[in-house]
């Protein structure tokens, strides 16, 4: 028995596998780029939110002891914006949160009716910024905000 002759690839079919492989490689590289960039921003945002939470808790615990011991505990513990700001700043520096991303800043500390709100911001650089957009070459701006409330039970 004789086998039929093998059909050779015509001029239109040669190199199709190479084009398909290159296409899949480009898609895989773009997917890796997006996943790496998004995970870096997500993790930096979580760290920034945690730093804001910790700073708000530290600030709400900065009770003016003189006023507390002189006047006693009322409905709310005595807090000042200056004392809360100092406590939040000291905590952020001691915890190392200021080194977690570029241009870390404590933007705002407000005291209102027994609650302290802390706002922090920073920029996080992403590894493949130019692939995503040239506007992120300087980093992605992130903002974290947290509020801690104190209560006094009689």
């Amino acid at each position: 028995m004789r086998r039929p002759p093998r059909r050779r690839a015509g001029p239109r079919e040669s190199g199709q596998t190479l084009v398909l492989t290159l296409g899949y490689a480009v898609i895989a590289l773009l997917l890796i780029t997006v996943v790496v960039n998004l995970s870096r921003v997500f993790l930096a945002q979580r760290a920034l939110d945690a730093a804001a939470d910790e700073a708000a808790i530290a600030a709400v615990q900065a009770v003016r002891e003189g006023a507390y011991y002189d006047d006693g505990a009322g409905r709310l513990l005595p807090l000042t914006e200056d004392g809360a700001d100092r406590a939040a700043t000291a905590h952020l520096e001691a915890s190392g949160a200021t080194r977690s991303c570029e241009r870390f800043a404590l933007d705002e500390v407000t005291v209102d009716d027994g609650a302290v709100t802390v706002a922090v911001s920073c920029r996080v650089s992403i590894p493949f910024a130019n692939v995503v957009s040239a506007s992120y070459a300087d980093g992605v701006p992130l903002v974290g905000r947290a509020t801690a409330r104190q209560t006094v039970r009689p």
Side-chain angles (χ1 to χ4, degrees):
M1 273 195 184
R2 195 167 180 216
R3 288 186 178 172
R6 215 179 235 169
R7 187 177 143 229
R8 292 188 176 217
R12 293 179 46 165
E13 296 176 8
S14 66
Q16 292 296 320
T17 305
L18 178 64
V19 172
L20 185 64
T21 304
L22 287 175
Y24 284 143
V26 168
I27 290 171
L29 287 173
L30 287 174
L31 183 64
I32 289 170
T33 300
V34 169
V35 168
V36 167
N37 287 339
L38 286 178
S39 62
R40 176 142 172 120
V41 170
F42 174 76
L43 292 174
Q45 181 66 54
R46 284 186 58 176
L48 191 65
D49 289 340
D53 285 340
E54 293 170 4
I57 291 170
V60 82
Q61 293 174 348
V63 176
R64 288 186 342 206
E65 292 178 1
Y68 177 76
Y69 289 120
D70 290 344
D71 301 334
R75 188 178 71 82
L76 297 173
L77 294 175
L79 293 172
T80 63
E81 288 201 20
D82 188 43
D85 186 65
R86 277 196 310 268
T89 302
H91 178 77
L92 289 171
E93 288 174 0
S95 69
T98 57
R99 295 183 304 269
S100 63
C101 55
E102 301 166 17
R103 290 187 255 164
F104 187 93
L106 176 61
D107 296 330
E108 177 184 27
V109 176
T110 57
V111 176
D112 183 37
D113 197 31
V116 176
T117 301
V118 174
V120 292
S121 65
C122 74
R123 284 193 171 272
V124 61
S125 61
I126 53 177
F128 305 107
N130 291 333
V131 174
V132 176
S133 173
S135 63
Y136 294 121
D138 194 30
V140 177
L142 299 177
V143 175
R145 181 177 295 275
T147 301
R149 188 172 307 279
Q150 53 152 305
T151 57
V152 177
R153 293 187 183 145

